[in-house]
Amino acid sequence: MDDSDSARQPVPEMSAGDPPSGDLAGSVVADLLLPRAALILALDGVPELWLARMLGGPTARAGWTVQHEAAYHVAQDALTVVLLDGVSRGIARWSYAQVRRIRGEAMHPIQRLRLAPLRDALRASSERVADMLRAAPERLAWRVAIGDA
């Protein structure tokens, strides 16, 4: 058994039957988790050396690696948590600078992680956002403005 086997955890449950019609929170949670689950599955069990050689090169974003892309999803989840928390406290307007800072602060330390911890961080961050949405689906109806005005 190698290190990747010992670090394996189940992929987030997404079979909610797929959310019942009219269940906006369930639909949003499924839309959030499905692509992340696919990324987690794709990275699960891939030898890190192979990933570095074959996939560690550029992605669709110039200068980014697969690790950067996974870290970006974790950072987006961190931003979503902050926005949802802000909405619950009545903060409805965010500047572009605030959004970039929040995402950058979350992404910078995580993009240097090795594959297994990065995969685990992605799994945990997506579940945290999903849990927040399941716990308080009314947040989806609240408006948030992002911009410099």
Side-chain angles (χ1 to χ4, degrees):
M1 179 193 289
D2 65 356
D3 288 341
S4 64
D5 287 337
S6 63
R8 287 187 190 185
Q9 297 174 3
V11 173
E13 268 301 302
M14 258 114 4
S15 60
D18 299 280
S21 61
D23 179 9
L24 180 59
S27 295
V28 170
V29 167
D31 288 347
L32 170 84
L33 291 181
L34 286 172
R36 284 161 171 75
L39 180 57
I40 290 166
L41 281 173
L43 295 177
D44 202 23
V46 174
E48 194 158 344
L49 182 60
W50 183 85
L51 181 72
R53 285 186 183 155
M54 303 302 289
L55 301 177
T59 65
R61 298 176 207 244
W64 282 39
T65 65
V66 173
Q67 283 92 340
H68 287 107
E69 291 289 345
Y72 178 77
H73 285 292
V74 174
Q76 282 295 103
D77 290 344
L79 173 61
T80 302
V81 166
V82 170
L83 294 177
L84 289 173
D85 183 56
V87 163
S88 69
R89 293 183 291 121
I91 301 171
R93 179 166 280 298
W94 300 82
S95 71
Y96 289 125
Q98 288 172 309
V99 168
R100 282 191 307 271
R101 181 186 52 78
I102 293 164
R103 193 173 35 228
E105 286 175 354
M107 188 172 176
H108 184 71
I110 200 133
Q111 71 187 7
R112 302 207 186 281
L113 289 178
R114 295 188 60 103
L115 181 59
L118 181 56
R119 186 179 54 235
D120 294 342
L122 178 59
R123 184 179 286 113
S125 70
S126 61
E127 273 302 311
R128 182 170 183 209
V129 172
D131 289 346
M132 287 182 82
L133 292 174
R134 287 184 194 115
E138 68 277 1
R139 292 176 181 171
L140 294 172
W142 296 351
R143 293 181 183 251
V144 173
I146 299 174
D148 294 325

